[in-house]
Amino acid sequence: MSISVQNISKSYGPVQAVKAVSFEVLEGEIFGLIGPDGAGKTTLFRILASLLLPDAGQARVDGLDVVQDYKALRRRIGYMPGRFSLYQDLSVEENLGFFANVFGAHIRDNYDLIRDIYVQLEPFSDRRAGALSGGMKQKLALCCALIHRPRVLFLDEPGTGVDPVSRKEFWDMLRRLRASGITILVSTAYMDEAALCDRVALIQKGEILAIDTPRGLTAAYRHPLFAVRSDDMYRLIRDLRDLTPDADCYAFGEYAHLVVPGGGSPSAAILQYLEARGHTGVELLPVQATVEDSFIDLMKNGVWTT
Amino acid sequence: MRTVLYLVQKEFLQVFRNRFMLPMLLVMPVVQTVLLSFAANYEIQNLSLGVVDHDLSPMSRQLVARFGASGYFRVKKSAFSIQEADADLARDYTDLILEIPPHFERDFIREGTAGVSITANAINPVKAGLAIGYAQAIVQSEIPPRPPQKGGLELTYSNWYNPRLDYKTFMVPGILGVIISMIICFLTALNIVREREVGTIEQINVTPIRKWQFILGKLLPFWLIALVMMTIGLAVGWLIFRIPMLGDLRLVFLYTLVFAPCMLGLGFLISNFAESQQQAIFTAWFFLVIFILMCGLFTPADSMPRWAQWLNMLNPVKYFVEFMRLVLLKGAGFAEIRQNFFTVLTYGAVVNGLAMWTYRKRV
């Protein structure tokens, strides 16, 4: 077990940011904490990185208690905060050198770990970190978090503020890092990133709704699900919400996703319903649920037991 | 210890890279010492003098000429009546009036002594006091004071350590103390708060850097900067102002080393309670303005009310200014400044202890 969290709670005044959260992460796993902004992801990360003391509960990272053994723990973890936290007035090289030095590590010894990432930064090694693009900053931050060869890596919303191509590259790197045995805990508000994790925990308002593999989550989705579109999407979504008392419909890219719990409305019936309301250009096809559909369902209907 | 070195190295990289910081550190002590020492002095020259000479004798003319030749006074107007001279004083045309009574010369020859009257505009008491002082000196050189009666006392005086009452000699060492105190306090407070504001502290806090290492890494660079600024300041004082340096300069540097942690620690303490650089600036200013105005640079600290003097014991800048004057002007050695030295040493230890205690790596 690489990370084990038991009933961790944390409040800021009257606001309970994390409510008795428990989960476990296996060694060499990419584990995603998926949830909207304000769900408590960053608080949880800061507790696990020994920056914040929990009000209650216990957590161990790589076998070390995050409260008692924090000194030893800090040598074994790499933490990349959600906000870029390197020295903007130091160059790429100076930042990396500084963080290697304070960990008593040498860039040379651990270069193999960061090589794939750092080669992209090398042409800019004299540039000040503050002058890098968002994607480059992310890569530099990852290098600095890895330079002391941590056993566990905490990445708090690494995808925020980064273009899709850089994000994809970043995730490719994470997969390669996993291959070298590093456990990765990553948080994100992007549902497409969730599908790239080995396992995910869906978190909302400080509570975990479900923990499963992305495949397991979508497989556990039991309701009939359709992708629908028409010429007037706004009216379409409103009309479909009235299809049955518990029907739900929400925008999903170019389409709207329609959930009809309990079934009972075959495609033909839905098409007829839409035609009766004067919709034109209607397209309707049954689809497989994504992690986002699962998440929306969970937010609405509470915790699943899978 | 290596970690501290890496932190200091990083700090200097940032200081040298900052296009604003380095010139400020080097130019500010020079400009301020020069500017303030020339501008903020009490030496008064070219005071406008109104003369009412009722005697018009060779001797009274000689006295008026003396005033004009002294450099302190300029005879702006010779009036025929005291009313006219008073009116000039009232409309701020003249700063003071010298009135010479009739029979001034005759009285002097007959009785060996005579009197004149000096009236000064005391809207600015400092200026008036000085003007009268200068005038008195001139008059006395011309008219010897009445010889002491039998059994009477005669008061004579001489100015030690600054015989010609040169205000630059007096101001430069003090200003140097104030500038160094101010700059290192600000720099420390801002530097630490900046790490918090920019978020870099978050990354530092997850490293194995220990609390004392981080603090030492922050204080050491500014400690060194204080010494550099002292060197520059002394050089300026010597080259431009020729201020006397009677004491041992090694003592000056040793004292700077011991004193700097007081201001560094205060800056550090402020940074622990400030969330932004703006808050840090205002808090630091609040204290520094009090420190500077009460440090004895402009008004003697000994003449403040009792309660203020008690309060002033918490003013580190006061000790520094006092030390600088004692050692540079008076040539004091360690024995004379021992109490000051140990007070400052204790002060630094307490402030840094407090700062250390209130600094939290995690919340």
Side-chain angles (χ1 to χ4, degrees):
Chain A
M1 202 63 60
S2 190
I3 303 172
S4 126
V5 179
Q6 281 162 18
N7 296 315
I8 286 281
S9 296
K10 178 75 189 179
S11 302
Y12 299 108
V15 183
Q16 229 190 331
V18 175
K19 299 173 194 161
V21 162
S22 302
F23 65 89
E24 283 176 338
V25 180
L26 303 173
E27 217 166 303
E29 195 175 31
I30 300 184
F31 191 91
L33 272 180
I34 318 295
D37 291 342
K41 302 187 297 284
T42 299
T43 302
L44 208 48
F45 266 75
R46 301 192 67 211
I47 290 172
L48 292 177
S50 81
L51 288 172
L52 201 62
L53 294 170
D55 295 339
Q58 278 200 320
R60 300 183 84 79
V61 174
D62 202 33
L64 298 170
D65 188 280
V66 295
V67 178
Q68 253 98 58
D69 310 323
Y70 72 95
K71 279 184 212 162
L73 178 68
R74 285 176 181 167
R75 296 197 166 274
R76 297 207 210 165
I77 56 170
Y79 172 50
M80 202 175 119
R83 193 172 151 208
F84 184 69
S85 312
L86 302 180
Y87 290 97
Q88 312 237 9
D89 46 355
L90 295 188
S91 72
V92 167
E93 213 174 358
E94 286 162 349
N95 265 300
L96 191 64
F98 173 71
F99 284 102
N101 282 338
V102 296
F103 277 103
H106 292 286
I107 299 179
R108 221 176 324 110
D109 299 341
N110 298 324
Y111 190 71
D112 59 297
L113 199 61
I114 59 162
R115 186 176 44 226
D116 291 339
I117 317 163
Y118 197 67
V119 284
Q120 302 179 41
L121 285 165
E122 229 141 31
F124 311 108
S125 62
D126 287 334
R127 190 179 288 192
R128 290 186 194 189
L132 292 173
S133 69
M136 284 294 177
K137 275 183 181 159
Q138 216 66 288
K139 283 168 194 160
L140 176 60
L142 184 60
C143 285
C144 289
L146 280 171
I147 195 62
H148 59 292
R149 202 176 277 278
R151 306 259 308 133
V152 180
L153 195 54
F154 295 106
L155 308 172
D156 193 6
E157 307 217 354
T160 309
V162 180
D163 68 89
V165 177
S166 295
R167 251 168 68 195
K168 189 180 173 310
E169 282 175 3
F170 193 82
W171 276 87
D172 290 343
M173 286 167 205
L174 295 190
R175 289 173 172 279
R176 271 184 299 230
L177 287 174
R178 179 184 56 178
S180 55
I182 296 176
T183 306
I184 300 171
L185 183 66
V186 57
S187 77
T188 181
Y190 295 117
M191 296 298 167
D192 56 330
E193 289 186 342
L196 303 170
C197 299
D198 295 322
R199 284 195 306 146
V200 294
L202 300 182
I203 181 169
Q204 195 207 11
K205 291 181 183 155
E207 282 176 300
I208 288 189
L209 303 176
I211 301 176
D212 207 335
T213 59
R215 194 175 295 243
L217 269 183
T218 51
Y221 192 88
R222 299 265 175 241
H223 316 300
L225 186 69
F226 299 94
V228 202
R229 64 182 295 178
S230 83
D231 294 335
D232 184 356
M233 291 299 281
Y234 176 68
R235 203 158 60 82
L236 177 81
I237 290 173
R238 288 190 39 179
D239 284 344
L240 283 174
R241 282 184 182 155
D242 298 330
L243 180 66
T244 65
D246 48 359
D248 191 16
C249 187
Y250 43 86
F252 199 97
E254 293 186 320
Y255 288 83
H257 272 191
L258 169 68
V259 192
V260 199
S265 291
S267 314
I270 299 168
L271 284 171
Q272 208 172 358
Y273 170 83
L274 288 177
E275 210 172 315
R277 266 146 223 270
H279 283 280
T280 53
V282 175
E283 227 181 291
L284 179 84
L285 43 143
V287 285
Q288 282 292 316
T290 64
V291 177
E292 185 166 349
D293 295 304
S294 304
F295 191 77
I296 289 169
D297 186 47
L298 282 168
M299 284 201 321
K300 221 177 125 194
N301 301 319
V303 179
W304 267 348
T305 40
T306 47
Chain B
M1 214 53 213
R2 283 172 69 90
T3 309
V4 177
L5 275 178
Y6 293 131
L7 284 166
V8 172
Q9 183 193 24
K10 180 218 84 181
E11 219 57 62
F12 273 119
L13 265 177
Q14 288 180 298
V15 169
F16 285 117
R17 186 143 308 162
N18 193 327
R19 252 179 299 162
F20 186 69
M21 187 93 116
L22 200 61
M24 197 180 78
L25 286 178
L26 300 180
V27 173
M28 207 161 136
V30 178
V31 172
Q32 293 203 342
T33 317
V34 172
L35 199 71
L36 289 176
S37 306
F38 275 126
N41 70 41
Y42 298 129
E43 217 164 293
I44 291 172
Q45 283 172 336
N46 298 326
L47 285 162
S48 301
L49 180 71
V51 176
V52 189
D53 188 348
H54 298 295
D55 194 36
L56 294 172
S57 60
M59 192 178 155
S60 73
R61 288 199 186 102
Q62 193 188 332
L63 180 65
V64 173
R66 271 298 163 89
F67 268 87
S70 68
Y72 299 122
F73 301 101
R74 208 155 26 92
V75 179
K76 194 98 171 254
K77 190 172 173 190
S78 291
F80 291 104
S81 71
I82 189 68
Q83 285 78 14
E84 191 186 343
D86 281 346
D88 286 337
L89 191 74
R91 66 184 170 101
D92 223 9
Y93 185 67
T94 53
D95 295 315
L96 78 169
I97 305 168
L98 170 69
E99 189 184 7
I100 302 173
H103 314 305
F104 170 72
E105 190 181 45
R106 192 193 67 193
D107 290 353
F108 182 73
I109 292 166
R110 275 192 198 160
E111 291 163 35
T113 183
V116 295
S117 144
I118 291 163
T119 314
N121 175 358
I123 291 259
N124 180 342
V126 178
K127 193 170 161 187
L130 285 161
I132 289 182
Y134 293 142
Q136 220 159 18
I138 295 168
V139 171
Q140 274 173 12
S141 69
E142 202 66 11
I143 320 165
R146 199 185 296 270
Q149 321 248 300
K150 264 203 174 87
L153 288 172
E154 190 190 357
L155 194 65
T156 60
Y157 62 90
S158 62
N159 299 308
W160 281 21
Y161 310 119
N162 189 0
R164 283 191 286 163
L165 287 180
D166 184 345
Y167 277 96
K168 286 187 216 53
T169 305
F170 180 64
M171 290 302 277
V172 172
I175 286 174
L176 204 51
V178 166
I179 292 171
I180 291 175
S181 304
M182 191 173 77
I183 292 183
I184 60 178
C185 179
F186 264 119
L187 285 182
T188 316
L190 287 181
N191 184 293
I192 300 176
V193 174
R194 198 179 119 96
E195 294 243 11
R196 192 166 306 142
E197 208 173 67
V198 178
T200 46
I201 201 112
E202 186 96 341
Q203 197 81 63
I204 290 290
N205 282 351
V206 286
T207 64
I209 297 175
R210 304 296 316 275
K211 197 158 132 176
W212 66 267
Q213 292 172 327
F214 177 77
I215 293 166
L216 213 53
K218 281 289 173 204
L219 301 190
L220 271 178
F222 298 114
W223 214 341
L224 289 175
I225 284 171
L227 287 183
V228 172
M229 284 175 40
M230 179 54 100
T231 314
I232 297 174
L234 286 177
V236 169
W238 186 72
L239 288 172
I240 300 181
F241 299 107
R242 296 279 160 193
I243 53 164
M245 294 193 189
L246 299 178
D248 190 342
L249 285 186
R250 282 174 306 178
L251 184 60
V252 175
F253 283 101
L254 176 71
Y255 185 88
T256 310
L257 265 183
V258 174
F259 170 79
C262 297
M263 299 316 288
L264 296 171
L266 275 173
F268 182 29
L269 196 61
I270 289 169
S271 77
N272 285 344
F273 296 98
E275 278 150 23
S276 64
Q277 297 189 66
Q278 192 187 38
Q279 286 179 7
I281 289 226
F282 279 113
T283 319
W285 258 126
F286 172 78
F287 286 107
L288 279 166
V289 165
I290 297 177
F291 286 169
I292 292 172
L293 289 180
M294 288 178 74
C295 74
L297 178 65
F298 304 108
T299 53
D302 301 333
S303 61
M304 286 189 289
R306 258 274 171 270
W307 60 266
Q309 290 196 38
W310 278 99
L311 208 64
N312 218 11
M313 287 172 71
L314 291 172
N315 180 355
V317 184
K318 184 198 86 162
Y319 296 105
F320 200 14
V321 170
E322 194 179 281
F323 165 87
M324 292 291 283
R325 285 176 177 165
L326 280 177
V327 173
L328 291 182
L329 307 188
K330 208 171 169 183
F334 186 75
E336 285 83 18
I337 56 116
R338 209 175 56 195
Q339 203 191 345
N340 183 331
F341 185 90
F342 287 112
T343 309
V344 166
L345 190 71
T346 317
Y347 195 107
V350 171
V351 169
N352 281 285
L354 269 176
M356 206 90 114
W357 182 58
T358 48
Y359 176 75
R360 291 272 175 274
K361 252 187 114 170
R362 44 182 185 177
V363 269

